Amino acid sequence: MGVDTKAKTAAKKPAVHPNTWVFFDGDFARYHDVKLGLMTHALHYGTAVFEGIRAYWNQKKGQLYLLAAAAHYDRMHRSANVMRMKLPYSTEELVNFTLELLRRNEFKSDVYVRPLLYTSSEEIGVRLHNLDRNFFIYAVPFGKYVEVEAGIRCMVSSWRRVPDQALPARAKITGSYAQAALAKSEAVEGGFDEAIVMSIDGHVSEGSAENVFMLKDGVFVTPPVTDDILEGVTRQLLMKVIGDELNIEVQERSIDRTELYTCDELLLCGTGAQISPVIEVDRRPVGNGKVGEFTQELQNIYFGAVRGELPKYKDWTIPVY
Ligand code: PMP
């Protein structure tokens, strides 16, 4: 039988230590003790909803800060509702499980936390009703997801964002990340760092896993939640910082493709991506082709806030230890 041994040896080692504690089916367990069946519904049909949460290690304070966890779990409840699923815990319980998980693993580095609510029935048949669900959380040490210092080069993807009429982008459904993967690989294999994806009606929607902000004529603009975006937690945090700290107005309005070529600054933001300055789109420089001044300022504030350095943004984070 044709087992592709080349692909097998090329496979990366898992990023997680097998002894890592995870939260699985209502209890704490070791990563290597958890097994999922081959027929697991979610694996075949994308019937799961998930989140991505970060915790930031502050070496000086010897403290780990969990960022915006309640907002992520609130969104997860909403994503579940779209998929006719129900999270078996309140947001408060989920935040507490996450804190306990981080403590058990004694992380002393930046961490990425991945909760997943998935259809666990082992049976054939595409549907949402009359199926079992299960929930887990794992956490792994995690650095940069995309470049945040030098600025990144983007392409406008030939793939369109999933429309609300077909697969709601505002719900974080695993199945819709096949679309994001198409866009990301097209961009990276084409020599770019990241994709910017348009909505079906031809407006800028978002990156493969990031929301978009552009600075144009002294105003920050970000696509409205009705342009098939994930309603980003980072997007929400930045909207407030831009208003409060930079004293710049934020407009939620649709963005045309060519505005990406003619704006003064552009950035992608998200839990994984953090704040990533975009210095080029479709081989055209953004602004002067360097990291934007206001983007840089936003980054400084954001990285201070997430590491628990800024008392003003204390309510963004929860100290883990
Ligand atoms: N859009 C998509 C498609 C994403 O996957 C993400 C990452 N979760 C974002 C935007 C940014 O959302 P957040 O700031 O909540 O991480």
Side-chain angles (χ1 to χ4, degrees):
M1 283 285 286
V3 176
D4 185 351
T5 47
K6 213 165 129 214
K8 243 176 143 179
T9 45
K12 280 192 198 151
K13 276 205 316 212
V16 56
H17 190 279
N19 261 340
T20 299
W21 285 105
V22 299
F23 182 81
F24 182 82
D25 197 14
D27 215 343
F28 290 94
R30 299 286 191 176
Y31 187 88
H32 65 178
D33 288 335
V34 174
K35 298 277 176 283
L36 297 189
L38 297 185
M39 288 182 72
T40 302
H41 197 273
L43 196 55
H44 301 258
Y45 303 122
T47 46
V49 297
F50 69 112
E51 273 303 323
I53 309 174
R54 263 189 193 266
Y56 285 89
W57 174 243
N58 185 320
Q59 180 69 32
K60 223 168 52 206
K61 294 186 190 246
Q63 183 58 274
L64 186 65
Y65 292 94
L66 179 62
L67 177 64
H72 283 284
Y73 285 120
D74 283 348
R75 182 171 68 191
M76 196 169 185
H77 278 283
R78 294 197 208 119
S79 295
N81 197 42
V82 171
M83 289 297 277
R84 306 274 287 105
M85 302 167 96
K86 195 164 165 35
L87 264 172
Y89 312 103
S90 69
T91 290
E92 197 188 339
E93 287 169 318
L94 290 163
V95 172
N96 286 332
F97 293 143
T98 306
L99 290 167
E100 168 69 17
L101 181 68
L102 293 171
R103 282 184 206 120
R104 277 186 183 235
N105 281 303
E106 299 177 19
F107 288 116
K108 289 190 168 54
S109 65
D110 292 352
V111 176
Y112 189 79
V113 180
R114 166 54 53 78
L116 188 94
L117 172 67
Y118 66 102
T119 308
S120 54
S121 296
E122 295 180 42
E123 59 176 274
I124 294 167
V126 185
R127 63 180 193 279
L128 297 177
H129 60 279
N130 295 342
L131 290 164
D132 297 328
R133 321 287 188 192
N134 197 9
F135 174 77
F136 67 70
I137 315 172
Y138 74 78
V140 286
F142 196 70
K144 272 189 265 186
Y145 176 71
V146 289
E147 174 56 42
V148 291
E149 278 132 33
I152 59 168
R153 299 169 54 250
C154 292
M155 71 174 281
V156 171
S157 182
S158 71
W159 299 97
R160 296 297 174 105
R161 193 76 185 107
V162 286
D164 195 63
Q165 299 92 320
L167 186 54
R170 71 164 44 74
K172 203 166 165 62
I173 302 164
T174 56
S176 73
Y177 279 76
Q179 184 278 330
L182 288 170
K184 178 82 181 196
S185 285
E186 179 190 43
V188 172
E189 290 174 356
F192 298 88
D193 299 307
E194 188 48 275
I196 294 178
V197 188
M198 315 290 279
S199 60
I200 286 286
D201 76 355
H203 289 113
V204 172
S205 180
E206 56 185 343
S208 71
E210 308 88 8
N211 292 116
V212 176
F213 281 84
M214 83 175 175
L215 179 72
K216 195 183 177 195
D217 298 329
V219 176
F220 266 102
V221 185
T222 193
V225 296
T226 44
D227 275 353
D228 296 320
I229 65 166
L230 182 76
E231 298 171 12
V233 171
T234 319
R235 173 181 179 274
Q236 209 60 41
L237 297 176
L238 288 197
M239 282 168 76
K240 196 157 162 36
V241 175
I242 291 169
D244 289 0
E245 304 270 342
L246 306 187
N247 222 353
I248 295 179
E249 184 195 343
V250 183
Q251 281 178 5
E252 290 180 83
R253 68 155 174 86
S254 293
I255 297 176
D256 281 341
R257 174 177 185 159
T258 50
E259 287 188 288
L260 301 175
Y261 306 159
T262 55
C263 65
D264 301 314
E265 295 188 24
L266 190 65
L267 67 89
L268 299 180
C269 71
T271 301
Q274 309 176 104
I275 298 179
S276 184
V278 180
I279 53 169
E280 207 183 289
V281 178
D282 292 341
R283 307 190 192 283
R284 293 156 176 88
V286 173
N288 61 8
K290 302 211 172 77
V291 173
E293 174 193 339
F294 292 102
T295 304
Q296 182 74 66
E297 209 175 323
L298 266 180
Q299 259 192 354
N300 294 344
I301 299 164
Y302 186 79
F303 285 126
V306 299
R307 283 191 207 280
E309 300 277 8
L310 307 180
K312 186 170 171 191
Y313 295 105
K314 232 175 102 199
D315 62 340
W316 284 18
T317 57
I318 305 173
V320 172
Y321 300 119

